[in-house]
Amino acid sequence: MQVANEKSAEAGARLIHTILDETQLRAASFIVTIYGDVVEPRGGAIWMGNLIEICAGVGISETLVRTAVSRLVSAGQLVGEREGRRSFYRLTGTARAEFAAAARVLFGPPDETVWHFVQLVGPAVEERMQMLERSGHARLTSRLAIGVRPFPASVEPAVVFRAEVAEGAELLGAFAAECWDLGPHAEAYRRFLKRFGALAGFIDAGGTMTSADCLTARLLLVHQFRFEALRDPRLPTAVLPANWPGEEARRLFTWLYRGLSPRADRHIAENFVTSTGPLPMESEATLRRIAMLGGEAAALPQKSGDFG
């Protein structure tokens, strides 16, 4: 049995390496994922040595980690503190607010659909328009954009007009197709399904993974899903093209995240520390995330909840 489990764990590790081979990871972006998934819901601080260890597992060197952390400090997202010879880095208040907003997209219920126009005023219009586009809005003119989801406060000053469909509701899909180029979003979701579908198939067939690999797999899962979910305009289903892959990607994310979490969280509790002691295995925030995803998982086929 032990030999079989070891061989299964090796097969799981190979699947993770396959995902890594198909992914271009940037140190700063991956560290943001670590803070969003592991650190922020457990208080916002972690030892530098743990960051180096996690990143080494995905091929990011210590030098790149230290450089990226330095840049995140300069950008006002992290602040450092020392305890003896150890350095710890904590999210700033501004960063925690940004991370909480991203977590609502990944783990919370769908936002209410509210069609609105945003008219940018003041200077630096192009920079702020690009921020709107990255948040899922569509550019109509150099200053005017349309969207259905909350817009980032960082684009202010702006005038926001709420809109209702008075006539022509049956044409709304065609209107959306003219405003948003959904092709790149659909392709990104299909790549996500291909990469992580193989991992889900391995696990569903009874494959096992080490706790460290469960954490690595979950971080890669969050990293790639976050990248697309935060850019997706998240249009209402009624106006999306037929066979839209976003919902299937969401279901796969939900199932894998819930299944990987028990062993991933145990690895965190056994190995990661903050300045006041070990990071907890669970917190109110992590339990809330699992519970919110649990509502979505109710519609999925019944599968194992722990991939150990």
Side-chain angles (χ1 to χ4, degrees), residues 37-99:
D37 184 48
V38 174
V39 187
E40 193 279 334
R42 292 175 171 83
I46 195 173
W47 174 42
M48 170 65 90
N50 288 141
L51 288 177
I52 293 170
E53 174 191 345
I54 301 173
C55 289
V58 296
I60 299 174
S61 70
E62 178 178 345
T63 299
L64 288 175
V65 171
R66 292 188 181 279
T67 300
V69 167
S70 178
R71 289 174 178 170
L72 289 169
V73 170
S74 298
Q77 291 192 292
L78 297 179
V79 59
E81 51 192 52
R82 292 191 66 84
E83 185 74 23
R85 299 181 63 183
R86 287 183 167 183
S87 296
F88 300 84
Y89 287 88
R90 179 180 301 278
L91 289 170
T92 62
T94 300
R96 293 200 74 175
E98 293 174 357
F99 278 54

Side-chain angles (χ1 to χ4, degrees), residues 101 111 114 116-120 128 131-133 135-137 145-162 234:
D111 296 319
V114 180
H116 59 268
F117 295 91
V118 180
Q119 175 73 18
L120 297 177
R128 289 184 290 135
M131 294 175 66
L132 272 176
E133 290 178 309
S135 73
H137 288 67
I146 185 172
V148 300
R149 305 303 183 198
F151 66 98
S154 51
V155 304
E156 295 177 349
V159 179
V160 181
F161 303 87
R162 290 203 171 195
R234 304 196 298 284

Side-chain angles (χ1 to χ4, degrees), residues 222-280:
V222 172
H223 187 74
Q224 295 202 23
F225 190 73
R226 173 180 69 90
F227 186 82
E228 178 52 32
L230 296 182
R231 289 163 175 76
D232 185 346
R234 304 196 298 284
L235 298 173
T237 303
V239 305
L240 290 170
N243 301 317
W244 177 250
E247 286 303 314
E248 186 180 356
R250 177 77 188 187
R251 289 193 295 269
L252 178 62
F253 170 79
T254 296
W255 185 72
L256 276 173
Y257 192 94
R258 283 174 56 84
L260 290 165
S261 287
R263 299 204 77 196
D265 289 340
R266 283 199 292 271
H267 184 78
I268 291 168
E270 292 169 359
N271 294 277
F272 298 164
V273 296
T274 185
S275 58
T276 56
L279 284 180

